[in-house]
Amino acid sequence: MRTPSPLVYLVDDDPSVLRAVKRLLTAGGFDTKAYSDPALFLAEHNPATPGCILLDMALPGLSGIDVQSKLAATAHRQPVIFISGENNVPATITALKGGAVDFLLKPFDETVLLAAVRAAIARDAVTREEEAEAGDIAARLAGLTPRERAVFARVIAGRLNKQIAADLQIVEKTVKVHRARVMKKMGARSLAELVRLAYKYGLVDKEVASGT
Amino acid sequence: MRLTLEAIESLQAVPDAIARLLRLIPLVAMLAAAITPAAFAMESLASAPLLLAAWHMTSGTFLLIFIIVAGLTYLVLKFHREVESRRYAERAAHDSRDQIEISVAAANLGLWDWDPVTDTVWTSDHCRTMLGLTGGTTMPREKFLDCLQGEERALAEARMKEAMITGRQCEAEYSLLQPDGSTQWIASRATPRSRRGGKPDHLLGVLMDITSRKQAEQEAVEQRKQLTHLTRVSVLGALSGALAHELNQPLTAILSNAQAARRMLSHKRYDISEIRQILEDIMADNMRAGDIISHLRSLLRKDELARRPVDMNQLIDGVLAFSKSDLVLKGVRVTKDFCTDCAMIEGDPVQLQQVLLNLFVNAGEAMNQMPMSEKSLHIVTEKTRAGHLRVSVTDTGEGISDSNLQFLFEPFHTTKALGLGLGLPICNWIIMAHGGQLFAQGNPGGGATFSFDLPLPIEVANEDTESSRVFG
Ligand SMILES: Nc1ncnc2c1ncn2[C@@H]1O[C@H](COP(=O)(O)OP(=O)(O)O)[C@@H](O)[C@H]1O
Ligand SMILES: [Mg+2]
C-alpha cells in the first residue's frame, strides 16, 4: 500500500494571510489546503491523511482552541501548529495542553514556518508508522492459540522453559515447540526482539496478567 | 470734587430754609395768640426771658414785638438745626462711602463712576491699582479706557453708552495685557444711576479681578483634554493585543508573499502572472497596515470638537472592524439592527468613535466571566419619538447593580481591578458636547444597555414615517 503524500491544512480567517501563507507553503514544497471557515475545515478534514494542521488562534465564531478541542473529539491524527497575532500566555498554555506541537507568532519567517511544518509532518509520520506497527502486532497476537499465548506471556515475563513446563503441566519439549511458533508468528528473530516488541506495545503487563 | 459737591449742596440748602421760614410765620402767629408760653419754652430755652416779660405785659404793642422776636428766634434756631443735620448727613454719607470703598477694596473690587456730562471718571484707589492707572481720582474717560486694547476698548465704550441709554445694568469681561506679558482678567458690572431721581445721569461700576478664576477654567479645559487623551490611551492599551493582531495580519501576509515569490523565482519554473498577483497583494496589505496606523493616530490626537456630517451606521461598522479581533478573541457574537434613513448626524467622528469604542470595550469586559456561547453584543440605531437618533449597545454581561448605576458617570468610579473609571464620564461629556444624552440601564434578563441620543437634522427629525430597517 502506497502512503499518500503529506497534506498541510491551513485555517485562517484573514483571506490575504491565507493566500500568502498557502503560496509560501506551496513554494516550500508542501501540498496545502486552505480554509477561511473553521466549520468548513472541520467538515472536510480527513484524519487519515498524513500531514499537519496550521490553525489561527483568533477565528470568528469558533476560536482556534475550540477547533482543537473539536478535532480531539474526532479520530484526528495530524499534529496542530498554532499561529497567532498576539503572545497570549493563557491561550498558549491551553493550546499546548491540548496537544499543540508548536506555536508561531505572526509575522513569522519562512524558515521558522517551513521548519515547524516539516517537523510536524515528520512527527506525524512516526506516529502513523508506530500505529501501523501496533496494529500489525495486535493482528499477529490475535493469531496465537491460547496455549501459545500462555507460553508467550511467560516467556516475556522472563520464566525459563522448565518453569513454564511446570506452570502449564506440559513437557519441556512441547514448550520449546510452542515457543518457536510464537517467535515465528510474532515475526521476532530473537528472544530479545520479542521482548522489545512486547514492551513497546505495552503487551507485558497485559499478557502476563492474562496468562497466569 | 467732593468739596465742590458739598459747596453746591450747602448753597442749595439756603433757599430751602427760606421757603420753610415763610411757611412757618402763620403757624407761629397762631401759637402766640393762644398765649401758651409753655409751648415756646419747649420749643427753645432761649425764648425764656421773653416769655417772662410777656407775663407782665398787656400792651398790644409788646405782644406784637414779642411775636416777631419769638418768631425770629425760632427761625434762627430752626435754620441752625437744619444746617447741622445736613452737615451730619453729609459726614455720614462720606463715612459710608469710605466704608464701602474699604470693604470693596478688601473684597478685591474696584469702583468707578462715569459722569457723561463732564466725560470724566472718578476711580477708587483700588480700581486704579487694578487697571495700572496713575494720577488722581478723577480722570478723563479717554485715559480711564487706556488700559484696554483695540476691540475691547471699542466694546467697552459702546457698552457704557448703551447702559446710559437703556438704563440697564451691563456686565462684561476684559483681558488686560500686563507689562510682564501675562494676561489679567477683569469682570466689570456697571449700573446706571440717577442722583436726583429720573433719568440716569452717571454710571457706577464695580471691577473684579477674575484672573485666577479664568486660569482655573482654562486649566479645567486643559485637564479635560488630557483626560480624554488619557482614556483614549487606556482604551487603546486594552486593545493593544488586538491592535498588534490587526497590524500583524497584513505584515504576515506581506512577508509570506515576498518569501513565496523569492522561492518561486529560484525554482526557475514559475508563473509570471502569479508573481504579479503577489506584488498586487503586497501593495494592498501595505495600504491596509497604513490605514490601521492612521486610525490609531487619529484616536491619539488631542483634537477639538469638529462638526462634520457623520453616518452613524458607517461609524459603528468602522469601530467594529477596528475592535473586531478583540471581540473575536473574546468570542463575542455581534448582531446589528440599523436604521437606514436616520443615521446621518452632525458631529465629531473621532470623538463619537471613541464613545463607541468605550462602550464596546466595557461591554466586552462585562462579559469576561460569561461562557463563550452566551457572549453577545447587539447594536441598534433608531429614531426616537422625540426625533433623535438613538444608538443602543446591549450586552449579555454581568449587568449593573442599583448601587453601581448611580455612580456610573462619576469620574474614577470603577469596579474593575485595573479600571480607570474614566470611560463613561468622557463618553457622557462627548455626547453632551454634541447636544445629546447618554443613558445606562441594567436589563431584567441580565446584561446592560448603554444608549445615547443625538439630535437629528430638523428635516429628518420631523419626518414621522416609520424608518426602514435592515437586519444584520
Ligand atoms: N456594559 C457594562 N456592564 C456592566 N457594567 C458596566 C458596563 N460598562 C460600564 N460598567 C460599569 O461602569 C464602571 C465605569 O466604567 P468606565 O467609566 O468605562 O470605567 P472603567 O472601564 O475603567 O471601569 C465600570 O467599572 C463598571 O462597573
Ligand atoms: Mg471602560
Side-chain angles (χ1 to χ4, degrees):
Chain A
M1 184 183 89
R2 208 183 69 90
T3 47
S5 62
L7 178 68
V8 179
Y9 286 105
L10 173 65
V11 189
D12 195 317
D13 68 306
D14 190 304
S16 72
V17 171
L18 196 68
R19 239 150 38 128
V21 177
K22 184 181 182 203
R23 277 185 190 125
L24 183 56
L25 289 167
T26 309
F30 298 103
D31 282 345
T32 308
K33 240 180 159 167
Y35 294 89
S36 61
D37 177 6
L40 187 65
F41 158 72
L42 283 173
E44 290 193 355
H45 152 257
N46 178 7
T49 316
C52 69
I53 300 167
L54 273 167
L55 202 52
D56 184 31
M57 264 286 181
L59 293 168
L62 283 173
S63 78
I65 300 283
D66 288 342
V67 174
Q68 187 189 26
S69 64
K70 282 220 157 55
L71 278 175
T74 71
H76 111 282
R77 302 235 173 71
Q78 298 95 331
V80 174
I81 299 169
F82 272 103
I83 49 181
S84 172
E86 62 161 351
N87 205 351
N88 180 334
V89 176
T92 315
I93 292 170
T94 316
L96 293 178
K97 273 192 182 157
V101 295
D102 219 332
F103 197 98
L104 306 183
L105 209 55
K106 290 178 184 175
F108 37 73
D109 189 75
E110 57 180 339
T111 51
V112 174
L113 175 74
L114 296 178
V117 168
R118 210 171 289 126
I121 289 174
R123 190 172 168 144
D124 181 57
V126 170
T127 317
R128 279 170 200 278
E129 204 174 289
E130 283 175 355
E131 278 178 8
E133 203 182 12
D136 205 24
I137 295 291
R140 285 184 224 168
L141 203 59
L144 301 183
T145 65
R147 188 34 57 96
E148 285 163 4
R149 224 174 151 122
V151 172
F152 172 60
R154 284 165 179 77
V155 169
I156 59 177
R159 291 181 78 78
L160 305 170
N161 286 349
K162 212 187 286 171
Q163 292 168 313
I164 296 172
D167 284 349
L168 302 176
Q169 294 178 340
I170 50 173
V171 294
E172 201 179 332
K173 206 176 160 195
T174 317
V175 173
K176 278 185 183 161
V177 173
H178 283 313
R179 195 170 152 162
R181 271 208 211 107
V182 167
M183 298 281 276
K184 198 176 167 217
K185 281 187 180 173
M186 293 304 288
R189 280 179 300 272
S190 64
L191 178 65
E193 198 179 342
L194 189 70
V195 173
R196 185 190 65 82
L197 281 177
Y199 270 97
K200 188 167 176 190
Y201 296 102
L203 300 175
V204 178
D205 296 339
K206 252 195 318 204
E207 289 303 317
V208 171
S210 67
T212 43
Chain B
M1 179 177 186
R2 258 179 240 167
L3 262 178
T4 21
L5 254 178
E6 266 170 35
I8 290 169
E9 281 176 5
S10 47
L11 279 178
Q12 275 174 346
V14 176
D16 256 15
I18 291 168
R20 259 176 235 166
L21 183 137
L22 289 173
R23 255 183 280 133
L24 277 169
I25 290 176
L27 182 74
V28 173
M30 260 156 59
L31 282 171
I35 317 179
T36 42
F40 281 95
M42 289 224 163
E43 189 65 37
S44 167
L45 276 173
S47 327
L50 287 175
L51 287 173
L52 280 174
W55 203 247
H56 299 286
M57 288 211 172
T58 49
S59 124
T61 318
F62 182 81
L63 186 63
L64 190 68
I65 291 166
F66 166 75
I67 289 170
I68 290 166
V69 171
L72 282 175
T73 312
Y74 170 78
L75 287 175
V76 168
L77 287 169
K78 176 90 187 163
F79 180 73
H80 177 75
R81 232 175 339 179
E82 189 81 13
V83 170
E84 271 297 288
S85 72
R86 275 247 153 196
R87 270 213 192 110
Y88 177 78
E90 278 291 318
R91 207 165 41 237
H94 193 136
D95 286 352
S96 70
R97 194 170 180 176
D98 274 352
Q99 268 165 13
I100 289 170
E101 241 197 275
I102 289 166
S103 56
V104 294
N108 221 8
L109 301 173
L111 285 182
W112 55 267
D113 194 348
W114 173 47
D115 185 341
V117 177
T118 56
D119 204 18
T120 55
V121 180
W122 170 86
T123 53
S124 72
D125 294 345
H126 192 68
C127 174
R128 288 192 303 282
T129 318
M130 269 166 82
L131 302 181
L133 296 168
T134 49
T137 50
T138 303
M139 61 189 80
R141 190 164 65 132
E142 279 295 300
K143 191 182 168 212
F144 176 65
L145 291 174
D146 269 350
C147 55
L148 296 175
Q149 274 96 33
E151 207 177 309
E152 291 206 328
R153 185 188 172 113
L155 264 173
E157 266 175 59
R159 282 183 186 130
M160 286 169 89
K161 256 191 214 122
E162 197 190 307
M164 288 307 294
I165 292 166
T166 60
R168 273 201 296 270
Q169 197 175 64
C170 76
E171 285 180 50
E173 289 179 1
Y174 301 99
S175 60
L176 312 181
L177 200 64
Q178 297 297 97
D180 67 359
S182 66
T183 304
Q184 185 192 17
W185 283 89
I186 299 275
S188 155
R189 173 185 291 172
T191 316
R193 285 283 178 86
S194 164
R195 280 202 191 87
R196 279 162 214 101
K199 263 181 71 74
D201 51 15
H202 67 131
L203 189 63
L204 194 65
V206 182
L207 297 183
M208 184 165 47
D209 189 325
I210 52 161
T211 309
S212 54
R213 194 191 83 201
K214 276 277 172 190
Q215 272 167 357
E217 272 173 19
Q218 257 158 16
E219 268 163 31
V221 168
E222 200 48 46
Q223 224 162 35
R224 193 145 54 191
K225 258 195 241 166
Q226 275 176 3
L227 280 186
T228 314
H229 180 64
L230 194 67
T231 21
R232 284 177 194 176
V233 173
S234 81
V235 165
L236 285 171
L239 280 175
S240 67
L243 199 85
H245 179 89
E246 215 47 56
L247 266 180
N248 270 332
Q249 300 292 79
L251 291 179
T252 305
I254 289 168
L255 186 60
S256 293
N257 267 325
Q259 291 181 332
R262 191 171 62 186
R263 280 180 175 266
M264 287 174 187
L265 290 172
S266 67
H267 286 169
K268 304 253 164 46
R269 264 182 47 228
Y270 56 84
D271 182 355
I272 189 75
S273 66
E274 169 102 55
I275 302 281
R276 191 168 293 128
Q277 187 55 53
I278 286 178
L279 292 175
E280 295 288 340
D281 284 359
I282 288 177
M283 289 188 275
D285 277 314
N286 207 314
M287 301 281 273
R288 186 173 144 199
D291 282 351
I292 294 166
I293 289 169
S294 66
H295 195 131
L296 175 70
R297 215 179 265 147
S298 74
L299 267 177
L300 280 170
R301 207 174 26 218
K302 291 200 254 180
D303 36 16
E304 323 273 5
L305 202 68
R307 282 191 187 269
R308 252 177 280 154
V310 174
D311 182 336
M312 187 51 77
N313 293 345
Q314 265 181 24
L315 208 66
I316 294 171
D317 280 335
V319 177
L320 276 179
F322 183 62
S323 45
K324 189 183 114 214
S325 33
D326 186 49
L327 295 169
V328 162
L329 280 175
K330 289 194 156 127
V332 178
R333 207 164 53 92
V334 180
T335 51
K336 295 180 287 187
D337 184 356
F338 281 177
C339 155
T340 46
D341 54 6
C342 64
M344 285 307 298
I345 49 127
E346 283 268 311
D348 184 333
V350 175
Q351 298 226 349
L352 291 173
Q353 270 171 341
Q354 212 206 328
V355 171
L356 292 167
L357 199 57
N358 263 318
L359 296 184
F360 296 169
V361 168
N362 276 352
E365 285 173 345
M367 295 191 286
N368 266 344
Q369 304 305 318
M370 302 290 146
M372 274 224 191
S373 57
E374 282 174 46
K375 290 184 180 180
S376 79
L377 186 67
H378 187 54
I379 302 156
V380 179
T381 58
E382 64 190 325
K383 191 168 128 183
T384 65
R385 281 214 199 130
H388 289 116
L389 164 65
R390 174 168 296 172
V391 180
S392 310
V393 180
T394 303
D395 62 55
T396 52
E398 58 197 15
I400 308 166
S401 69
D402 285 344
S403 57
N404 196 8
L405 190 61
Q406 60 188 120
F407 300 116
L408 283 189
F409 297 174
E410 297 273 1
F412 303 112
H413 168 76
T414 180
T415 55
K416 296 165 198 164
L418 294 174
L420 267 182
L422 288 172
L424 290 177
I426 295 209
C427 288
N428 193 28
W429 175 68
I430 292 173
I431 294 299
M432 286 201 305
H434 280 82
Q437 226 185 325
L438 181 69
F439 308 93
Q441 72 178 67
N443 296 330
T449 298
F450 283 80
S451 47
F452 55 87
D453 287 358
L454 291 173
L456 280 166
I458 295 166
E459 326 84 66
V460 186
N462 290 340
E463 268 171 30
D464 53 4
T465 47
E466 254 294 295
S467 49
S468 52
R469 322 187 63 80
V470 282
F471 295 88

